[in-house]
Amino acid sequence: IADTLALIPKDKLYILDRGRRIYGQDFPSVCQAFKKDVFNALTSGAGLLAKYKKLTLIFPSEGHAPPEIQRGFTVFCDKNGFTSEILDHPPLKIQKHEAYLVIDDNSLVTIVKQAQQKGYELGKQVGVISYNDTPLKSVVANGITTISTDFNAMGRSVADLILNNKKDHMENPCNLIIRGSL
């Protein structure tokens, strides 16, 4: 990527969403701070997570998710005394009194289906947090809690950079959106 970026004049390129650590200091940028975002989001929901005996991150090894998500999850669990596990696919059998942070929608569907098949109520016997909010997650299974960057804010921020010829390096806001699944 660096060779390709070198072909583009620095005043014509803006880095969005990912790449802040590697490229975001050379070009104006509005990016996520994945490790910090996950840590802060989980910290803001720590009271709700406390009712679960274990937190499991489903982080597919074949995906394109930033590894900083894993680091933020691990730091949160270590600092807050949560038993945790990182899997590259959903478990064959989800467990009662555990919460799952899922990165991809296929894993989300698998976890929700298993909970329904076992008669577990999301937000009571099993917790679910999904990465990146979508309108569908607000209505599925009485609402899926999400950790999500504010994509609208990202658009407004990059428009401001362009329209006002700014060369800033910005972290985009990220929030825990609490719904029934937690």
Side-chain angles (χ1 to χ4, degrees), residues 78-112:
D78 289 348
K79 284 192 174 189
N80 292 281
F82 281 96
T83 300
S84 65
E85 181 176 24
I86 298 175
L87 303 173
D88 67 352
H89 54 79
L92 295 176
K93 294 180 182 180
I94 64 169
Q95 299 298 312
K96 200 173 189 180
H97 307 297
E98 292 187 10
Y100 300 88
L101 170 56
V102 296
I103 301 303
D104 68 298
D105 287 348
N106 289 333
S107 295
L108 174 63
V109 169
T110 299
I111 297 291
V112 170

Side-chain angles (χ1 to χ4, degrees), residues 25-43:
Q25 299 307 310
D26 294 331
F27 302 95
S29 62
V30 182
C31 296
Q32 297 184 60
F34 295 98
K35 178 182 174 183
K36 183 170 87 172
D37 291 345
V38 169
F39 177 83
N40 289 341
L42 293 174
T43 298

